Amino acid sequence: MRPTLKLLTASLALAVPSLAHATEDDQLWTGVSATVKLSDKWRFSQEVITRFSEDRDGLYEVEMNSLLGYKVTKNVTVWAGYTHDPNYNAGEFAVMEHRGRQQVTFDNIVKIGPGQLSARLRLEERWREGVDGTAWRFRPYVKYVLPFKEGGKTALVLSHESFIDLNTTNFQRVEGEERMRNLIAITTPIAKNVNAEIGYLHQHGFRPNAEDANDNVASFALSFSF
């Protein structure tokens, strides 16, 4: 396990861009999600993510995602749903964003050493109240889960996600890759059907004609399954 862990950690570090010529922000993200098995094929997922920023003086986003999923195969699920995403400035409401969301998840599709690789392809359409235009965005995601012992439930999680803007609007101004997120975390069950994940997430934002942004995020999430 040790050589595999060293290789994956090094790969994640290489994926994080240089901190030179970039602004810095310390953040806290908390999340709660629940997935309900409606039948052998159908699933419903509800997630709430709350984000706080030092530079933005507190709360700046509450992202609420509702998704309906259909299992095509044991490892492949197709999802579609809606994201309600109010944005804040220093805890005061600023603007409402609405998103359509479609995605395909590939769970445990490749075994690498003692761990499993999963992936997700997500497409989003974004609208902001009072602002013209529909912003289209593609978000490929890959995750590697490495148990600390064979058959164990407590595991190391490494993930990468890119945000690729497919067009520009008044509120989506970057063409191509806008940001990337790299996560290293520990996941463990804390009760029946309840998992906790705690870790560090590095978010790098690409800003044409300005300094890039680096967010250092303490991340904590609870997930429920029924």
Side-chain angles (χ1 to χ4, degrees), residues 132-145:
D132 292 335
T134 299
W136 292 79
R137 185 164 70 185
F138 180 56
R139 295 171 55 177
Y141 170 87
V142 63
K143 178 176 72 172
Y144 183 71
V145 178

Side-chain angles (χ1 to χ4, degrees), residues 6-219:
K6 289 180 180 179
L7 177 61
L8 289 167
T9 304
S11 299
L12 185 65
L14 288 172
V16 177
S18 171
L19 300 184
H21 308 295
T23 62
E24 296 279 338
D25 186 20
D26 294 326
Q27 300 192 11
L28 170 66
W29 296 2
T30 63
V32 178
S33 64
T35 302
V36 181
K37 181 179 179 180
L38 303 177
S39 68
D40 288 342
K41 294 288 189 179
W42 291 96
R43 304 289 186 271
F44 177 77
S45 173
Q46 182 66 50
E47 179 183 43
V48 179
I49 303 171
T50 306
R51 297 187 171 104
F52 302 86
S53 161
E54 183 177 33
D55 285 356
R56 303 188 199 185
D57 298 320
L59 176 68
Y60 73 90
E61 186 175 27
V62 180
E63 182 180 310
M64 291 165 275
N65 303 299
S66 302
L67 290 166
L68 185 64
Y70 180 81
K71 289 186 72 67
V72 180
T73 68
K74 178 183 176 181
N75 302 102
V76 179
T77 307
V78 177
W79 300 83
Y82 164 73
T83 296
H84 190 72
D85 188 39
N87 286 237
Y88 301 85
N89 287 324
E92 298 292 330
F93 175 75
V95 64
M96 179 63 69
E97 180 168 304
H98 305 276
R99 302 178 191 169
R101 176 174 286 185
Q102 307 84 44
Q103 64 187 38
V104 183
T105 55
F106 306 88
D107 300 317
N108 302 324
I109 53 172
V110 178
K111 185 173 177 62
I112 302 176
Q116 295 279 356
L117 190 73
S118 299
R120 182 186 67 216
L121 299 176
R122 172 179 289 171
L123 180 67
E124 291 182 327
E125 307 84 51
R126 304 164 60 214
W127 305 272
R128 287 191 178 179
E129 294 182 1
V131 184
D132 292 335
T134 299
W136 292 79
R137 185 164 70 185
F138 180 56
R139 295 171 55 177
Y141 170 87
V142 63
K143 178 176 72 172
Y144 183 71
V145 178
L146 181 66
F148 285 106
K149 64 178 182 180
E150 187 175 354
K153 299 295 184 180
T154 300
L156 176 72
V157 178
L158 300 173
S159 71
H160 169 84
E161 182 176 24
S162 286
F163 289 64
I164 302 171
D165 295 347
L166 302 179
N167 69 332
T168 57
T169 68
N170 288 331
F171 60 93
Q172 181 169 282
R173 299 184 176 92
V174 177
E175 293 186 11
E177 187 164 18
E178 173 199 346
R179 77 183 81 163
M180 64 170 66
R181 293 174 179 170
N182 295 290
L183 171 74
I184 181 168
I186 303 296
T187 181
T188 188
I190 58 174
K192 184 179 180 181
N193 300 327
V194 184
N195 263 51
E197 181 184 281
I198 184 168
Y200 166 76
L201 183 144
H202 179 270
Q203 178 172 254
H204 184 89
F206 299 96
R207 297 175 175 176
N209 305 316
E211 290 186 338
D212 286 355
N214 280 307
D215 300 325
N216 301 299
V217 181
S219 175

